[in-house]
Amino acid sequence: MALPVRDQMKYWGVAAAVFLALLWLLGNVILPFVLSMAVAYMLDPVADKLESWGFSRIAATVVITLVAAVLFVLIALLVIPTLINQTTDLVNIAPELINNLQNFLTEKFPTLLDEGSQLRQTLVKIGETIQSKGGELLSTALASAMSLFNVVMLLVLVPVITFYLLMDWDRMVAKIDGLLPRDHAPVIRRLASDIDSTLASFIRGQGTVCLILGTFYAAGLMLVGLKFGLVAGAVAGALTFIPYVGAIVGGLLSIGLALFQFWGEWQWIAAVVAIFAIGQFVEGNILTPNLVGSSIGLHPVWLIFALSAFGTLFGFVGMLIAVPVAAALGVVARFGIHQYHDSRLYRGLSADEDPEAEDV
């Protein structure tokens, strides 16, 4: 005999509370495991594909690990140093950019920037603050990142955990399926399948879109000769993970830098605008429909809220689990709404008496 709904809600509520409490208490201790699970989840389809080609699961995992190691070394040697140098230079040159903006405004709108005007004083303070605090902020961020991703975890722990998770992923899923309560197993499987579809559409698809667009923006901006083009392209590509934000922030940053660097050379400014216009056209008409899908069930506002809330509550670990949790809650909410529409609470007593109400 199945447990009453009230008792089931009690047990599931206790389980959720325990999970959140453990997440809060363990914090960064579980970071390598969460990160490894995310990586293994994203790579599992690749391993499955290799298995369909005749590879054993161990051989597929080894191949993926070797390819990932080579890519990581190449990125570490070729891209990261340039990215760090350009970011540092951008912080250092910020006062000059502010000064150029001030000169432009003085030339076009002389009354706005009198010696005693509030706008002039604000621009001067912004430039001084960026120069004095920007480098310190960058160093602090890098130091925090290195303390968070210490050498052992980054170079040894995460790859090792990911290797074992990826190798045993299908068996772990089967074990978890065997632990499901039998009365609710079909419904839980269906919900898990919907969550997986949403995550696959968003994380894998949107991650691929971010990588493609980031590479395109960075390469295009560097080809037209824009200083800090790699930084602007990387920012635009990374923020593409949040729909619309990447294009807006990256576009404004790139066009702003182009205005300062190419003022008077309108063809290069137009080239920067064209790069983002092409990127947006390709994203909206080719990449997103084919890699993400037309509907993933995650509204941009809900996604931004989830990232902000979980990041504030649980730090970096919270940001890692924000998207999966948001997707799961979205699926559960849609399931709950569907159940509500089929319930007497929604249909009322007249639904039992009027057969036509079933079609309403």
Side-chain angles (χ1 to χ4, degrees), residues 131-149:
Q131 186 175 31
S132 61
K133 299 296 185 180
E136 178 183 344
L137 179 63
L138 180 61
S139 300
T140 302
L142 291 175
S144 299
M146 289 308 297
S147 64
L148 193 62
F149 294 97

Side-chain angles (χ1 to χ4, degrees), residues 295-309:
S295 177
I296 58 174
L298 286 179
H299 193 278
V301 175
W302 172 236
L303 178 62
I304 294 171
F305 172 77
L307 289 169
S308 301

Side-chain angles (χ1 to χ4, degrees), residues 202-204 206-207 210 236-243 246 303 307 323:
F202 187 79
I203 295 182
R204 295 170 185 153
Q206 195 69 21
C210 291
L239 292 180
T240 300
F241 192 77
I242 305 175
L303 178 62
L307 289 169
V323 172

Side-chain angles (χ1 to χ4, degrees), residues 3-18:
L3 287 174
V5 174
R6 180 176 300 177
D7 291 340
Q8 293 182 36
M9 294 296 294
K10 184 188 303 182
Y11 288 126
W12 287 113
V14 170
V18 170

Side-chain angles (χ1 to χ4, degrees), residues 190-191 194-195 198 297-298 302 324-341:
R190 180 158 58 87
L191 291 176
D194 291 342
I195 292 171
T198 302
L298 286 179
W302 172 236
V325 172
L329 291 178
V331 170
V332 172
R334 288 191 292 273
F335 173 76
I337 292 173
H338 177 75
Q339 294 295 104
Y340 167 66
H341 284 164

